[in-house]
């Protein structure tokens, strides 16, 4: 079903619309009245206007919208997108983690990218098993993959910070040991001279 929004068009807009519709009605050999012109316009809009709306099936928001607007199911075409192929998963991970690639060896980075795709694919496979065994859906969406990459980036940053902190502590400790060693050597020399 469709609803008309009252007073959506100004008179000047309607004039332009009616000019275009007059040509169409004249070609069809129909009477040119305001009602016929507007009906022709609405007919063309219904035929040619396509709205793409993307929603994640996760959470209650999706089901709430379906309950509030049943025409989303009754009068629409729903496309459930296929899973991403492994090459796409890797390409997305490489792109989103390009900053991290500069801080590590290529083989390590390639392994992390592979793990991202493997984790996402394994969760998708286990979700299928979960559906068969428990009759409950666990949706694995592109958004969940992007969240996985964000978590991996966060963990990498935390681990890098932790390693850098430890390295700095070790470096400071070694500097103090070397300083102490040189001070002890000076003191030994002074004692030997006495």
């Amino acid at each position: 079903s469709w609803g008309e929004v009252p007073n959506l068009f100004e008179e000047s807009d309607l004039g332009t619309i009616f000019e275009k519709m007059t040509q169409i009605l004249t070609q069809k050999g129909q009477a040119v009245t305001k009602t016929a012109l507007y009906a022709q316009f609405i007919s063309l809009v219904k035929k040619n206007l396509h709205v793409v709306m993307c929603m994640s099936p996760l959470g209650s928001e999706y089901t709430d919208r379906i309950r509030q607007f049943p025409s989303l199911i009754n009068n629409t075409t729903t496309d459930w997108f296929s899973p991403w192929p492994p090459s796409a998963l890797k390409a997305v991970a490489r792109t989103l983690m390009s900053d991290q690639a500069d801080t590590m060896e290529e083989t390590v980075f390639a392994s992390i990218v592979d793990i991202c795709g493997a984790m996402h694919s394994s969760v998708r496979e286990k979700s299928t098993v979960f559906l068969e065994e428990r009759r409950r859906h666990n949706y694995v969406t592109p958004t969940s993959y992007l969240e996985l990459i964000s978590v991996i980036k966060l963990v990498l940053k935390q681990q890098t910070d932790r390693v850098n902190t430890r390295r700095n502590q070790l470096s400071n400790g070694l500097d103090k040991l070397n300083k102490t060693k040189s001070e002890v050597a000076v003191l030994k020399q002074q004692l030997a001279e006495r």
Side-chain angles (χ1 to χ4, degrees):
S1 69
W2 66 282
E4 182 181 339
V5 179
N7 301 320
L8 180 62
F9 297 106
E10 301 274 332
E11 281 298 319
S12 60
D13 295 332
L14 284 175
T16 307
I17 292 169
F18 288 167
E19 283 179 31
K20 304 276 186 198
M21 296 305 111
T22 302
Q23 296 170 4
I24 295 171
L25 287 180
T26 305
Q27 288 175 354
K28 289 183 175 181
Q30 296 178 355
V32 179
T33 65
K34 274 191 168 185
T35 305
L37 291 168
Y38 196 72
Q40 178 64 35
F41 172 70
I42 294 299
S43 171
L44 287 173
V45 167
K46 286 170 70 174
K47 178 181 174 189
N48 295 309
L49 180 66
H50 300 279
V51 176
V52 176
M53 182 171 63
C54 297
M55 294 179 359
S56 173
L58 298 177
S60 63
E61 192 172 321
Y62 177 73
T63 53
D64 290 345
R65 285 195 177 127
I66 297 300
R67 281 190 203 112
Q68 289 174 340
F69 309 105
S71 61
L72 286 175
I73 295 294
N74 300 335
N75 299 325
T76 60
T77 300
T78 302
D79 288 331
W80 298 98
F81 292 100
S82 302
W84 288 359
S87 60
L89 293 172
K90 288 179 183 180
V92 169
R94 277 193 178 282
T95 302
L96 292 178
M97 297 195 326
S98 60
D99 294 341
Q100 286 73 19
D102 299 335
T103 63
M104 62 185 76
E105 294 177 22
E106 177 57 33
T107 55
V108 173
F109 181 69
S111 297
I112 291 172
V113 167
D114 290 343
I115 286 172
C116 290
M119 288 173 75
H120 186 74
S121 297
S122 67
V123 169
R124 189 177 61 235
E125 291 166 9
K126 292 296 181 186
S127 294
T128 304
V129 172
F130 186 68
L131 177 62
E132 291 170 2
E133 290 177 358
R134 305 285 178 158
R135 299 285 180 236
R136 293 186 62 198
H137 288 278
N138 178 47
Y139 296 102
V140 182
T141 64
T143 303
S144 59
Y145 184 61
L146 298 177
E147 289 173 3
L148 169 68
I149 292 173
S150 295
V151 168
I152 289 174
K153 286 170 63 174
L154 178 66
V155 169
L156 281 172
K157 183 183 181 323
Q158 289 173 343
Q159 291 299 325
T160 302
D161 291 347
R162 188 174 68 88
V163 167
N164 286 338
T165 300
R166 293 274 173 99
R167 185 178 56 210
N168 290 340
Q169 290 172 343
L170 181 63
S171 178
N172 289 339
L174 290 173
D175 289 344
K176 287 180 182 179
L177 283 174
N178 287 333
K179 183 180 175 186
T180 304
K181 182 179 177 182
S182 63
E183 288 175 358
V184 167
V186 168
L187 289 174
K188 276 186 179 180
Q189 186 179 3
Q190 288 175 353
L191 283 173
E193 290 173 1
R194 285 188 187 172

